[in-house]
Amino acid sequence: MTIGSFLDKKKIRDYIQKHNMLNKGDRVVLGLSGGPDSVCLFFVLLALKEEYDLDIHAIHVNHCIREGDADEDQAYVESLCRDFEVPLKVVRADIPAMVAESGRSTEEEARMARYETFEAYAMELEAEEEEGSVKIAVAHNADDNAETVLFHMARGTGLDGMCGIVPTRGRIIRPLLEVPKAEILEFIHDNEIAYCVDETNAEVTYDRNRIRHNILPELSEINPKALEHITDMTNRLMEVADYISLEAKGLLAIAKDEGDKLRKRAFITAPRVIASQALKEYLSGFMPNQKDVSAVHIESILGLLQEEGERQVQLPYKKTLVISYEHLYVIDEEDDEPKGTISYREFDLEPGMKYPTGTYTKWFDCDKISDNVVIRTRAEGDYLTIDSAGNHKSIQDYFVDEKIPRHKRDKIILVCDGSHVMWVVGYRISEYYKISNNTTRVLEIVYGGTGNE
């Protein structure tokens, strides 16, 4: 099988065009491990070089995992690129040392190191300010996609996980994603192309290798087209996921309120599947990675939307989703100490004096104050006089009635005369301490916090 017939038979050109992977004049960073998949992609890109006017750059990451073999893989890749005059960059990444420091699995650490290295090289090429965008080509195939789907199913997943590996993500492209591994090997062998063999791929101690060597062969025994059917399923599910994502974006647009707040009612009335995706997209905006928002978080939130009062869901990275009376919003862990300063002055009330109208400047009748005035946050037994008849309300009940979010209640500054709250700063003062016709002496209190008027 020649490279031309391989491209046509497996409809690789059509797949590239369908997903807009390449454009004329693109520069392509090829992740070249030396294994059969990446070597096959190497020749695919060379075959397309003239058609797309590609500027191909290879990059090889030596993981320093297999002593001796890793250096042999590097030497082979260097020789291959030299023979075909493809620029090559080699980066050594001490994965065992990284694993010891991070605690992540070897597979995960190596994957992260590869993509970070690929992206860094792409940005380096981009900085040269030549024409054409920079793409990163990786050699995932149909078997990899099926393994990923089965792996996600075994661990537990939602619709996104069932979609498998995406054809493109940002600048990353996967031209061989629908090509079975067996046909990649057929092309390699027919053309007597050398490649490297990673012996760790045969070890069934890794979960993905168990799927590769034990489960996929069994599925092929049940139906020889099992791999093809899994690929078709992921394509159909990807269309469903795209539609749901579009609807979710529409829901977020409808629900958006001031700042980053969302209207709670919009989520209560939306179909559950749309609300779930919208929440995931919203929360992902506050996280380094979308996968930091798990199904457990989403289910917890959906279960609390119909609850009365305020609820909170703890999120990664010291963030909290607040489900208030009317809104949803995310808060960061805040400093426990109230901010701002208090200043006082006392003076005689004289006819014609104008009362202050600002939110953070208040006057009080000095003769009504029975104790030392204390500035603090709420405490057990605090109460507020709510009307001229002298009726009281506990501070807790006042906060609830005013729908003040729970996370703010312990931060609100109170001006107190013993347990009697004179002023809930930023909200209201007690009726008991208000200036009246009998007032002779005034205590003025000004709260000077950041941004206060």
Side-chain angles (χ1 to χ4, degrees), residues 1-13 44 47 183 186-187 190-191:
M1 186 191 303
T2 65
I3 184 63
S5 60
F6 179 70
L7 285 169
D8 293 336
K9 180 181 177 182
K10 299 318 300 171
K11 299 181 179 179
I12 295 172
R13 277 194 180 89
V44 165
E183 298 191 21
E186 181 185 354
F187 164 74
D190 284 354
N191 291 277

Side-chain angles (χ1 to χ4, degrees), residues 24 26 42 134 170 189 231 236 308 344 351 357 361 365 371 389:
K24 285 272 188 180
D26 278 349
F42 177 84
V134 180
H189 293 150
T231 299
R236 289 195 296 273
E308 294 293 329
Y344 310 81
T357 57
T361 299
D365 189 330
D371 206 338

Side-chain angles (χ1 to χ4, degrees), residues 70-114:
D71 293 333
E72 290 179 11
D73 292 352
Q74 178 181 323
Y76 166 73
V77 168
E78 289 171 338
S79 172
L80 180 66
C81 290
R82 190 165 49 248
D83 289 345
F84 288 89
E85 299 181 342
V86 172
L88 171 69
K89 180 171 185 172
V90 174
V91 176
R92 295 181 69 88
D94 191 346
I95 300 301
M98 293 179 183
V99 168
E101 183 176 342
S102 70
R104 287 186 281 263
S105 70
T106 300
E107 287 177 292
E108 178 68 7
E109 195 67 57
R111 185 191 68 81
M112 291 175 62
R114 283 196 300 276

